[in-house]
Amino acid sequence: AQRVTQPEKLLSVFKGAPVELKCNYSYSGSPELFWYVQYSRQRLQLLLRHISRESIKGFTADLNKGETSFHLKKPFAQEEDSAMYYCALSAYNTDKLIFGTGTRLQVFP
Amino acid sequence: DAGVTQSPTHLIKTRGQHVTLRCSPISGHKSVSWYQQVLGQGPQFIFQYYEKEERGRGNFPDRFSARQFPNYSSELNVNALLLGDSALYLCASRVPWQGTDTQYFGPGTRLTVL
């Protein structure tokens, strides 16, 4: 079965602390993995994807096929990082995204 | 460009009624997908349409249907509404064959079924 698991509903850290949002997936083939973010009162938007292996707003995510994980990391959290974060997967070249339940990140000053 | 637009923003219906939600994709985008997001959950895929044809369907009952028009806008219809249909309905559009990551989401329509 195709599934994305985000075990933490809420993650609270202080500004400057490291952040790791966990994501594990279950998929029989080779999926594409993504992180989407939703800031307060804004629409859902793509943060990053595993294929590009890029860093966006200081966030990185490495696909670990052995552990079927795609954890999102940032070494020094900022207050503006406070948002809802969703991990998602899709089969190659399809529009169907399978989302996790999301993790709310709160960064305190 | 205003991005993906959806109407209405909010809607209240009673059980048994039907509802039509509308989505206008970004200009030039020919693929439209619909998602349902229940409170506390991530979005769930309902449909994808490309060039007016259904290209994908999620695990939703036949009460859910959709269509895409020649101008690539789309409607999602839900018949015989149930309380459990209360959710945020998201529309996403993308330029085809440029990878799933180029999907752009609309602000959603919040449906409340009483």
Side-chain angles (χ1 to χ4, degrees), chain B residues 80 90 93 114:
Chain B
L90 298 169
S93 77
L114 303 177

Side-chain angles (χ1 to χ4, degrees), chain B:
Chain B
D1 194 338
V4 177
T5 59
Q6 294 185 243
S7 63
T9 54
H10 296 86
L11 203 52
I12 298 176
K13 293 285 188 178
T14 56
R15 282 177 297 176
Q17 287 188 311
H18 74 273
V19 67
T20 298
L21 311 181
R22 295 177 176 84
C23 170
S24 292
I26 293 172
S27 177
H29 287 199
K30 301 180 180 180
S31 176
V32 170
S33 297
W34 286 94
Y35 291 80
Q36 180 197 63
Q37 186 173 18
V38 174
L39 194 63
Q41 301 294 318
Q44 258 197 301
F45 175 78
I46 309 175
F47 286 112
Q48 185 217 345
Y49 275 78
Y50 172 64
E51 291 284 11
K52 295 167 286 181
E53 290 188 3
E54 182 183 303
R55 293 298 182 94
R57 172 185 281 258
N59 189 23
F60 280 81
D62 292 343
R63 298 185 297 108
F64 289 76
S65 64
R67 56 179 176 167
Q68 188 176 32
F69 299 99
N71 65 355
Y72 304 111
S73 67
S74 178
E75 284 183 353
L76 176 69
N77 294 283
V78 187
N79 293 323
L81 284 167
L82 303 174
L83 295 179
D85 296 332
S86 295
L88 180 69
Y89 288 85
L90 298 169
C91 173
S93 77
R94 75 170 179 88
V95 177
W97 313 123
Q98 290 192 9
T100 311
D101 53 295
T102 53
Q103 285 198 70
Y104 297 89
F105 282 85
T109 293
R110 171 91 40 206
L111 172 65
T112 302
V113 182
L114 303 177

Side-chain angles (χ1 to χ4, degrees), chain A residues 5-8 19-25 33-35 48 50 59-64 67-74 87:
Chain A
T5 302
Q6 294 180 253
E8 304 136 330
V19 168
E20 182 179 48
L21 286 77
K22 291 184 167 46
C23 172
N24 288 89
Y25 67 91
L33 274 296
F34 309 88
W35 278 98
L48 54 79
H50 89 272
F59 284 98
T60 59
D62 290 321
L63 179 61
N64 186 323
E67 295 182 358
T68 59
S69 68
F70 189 55
H71 303 327
L72 183 67
K73 300 178 183 179
K74 185 170 183 177
C87 182

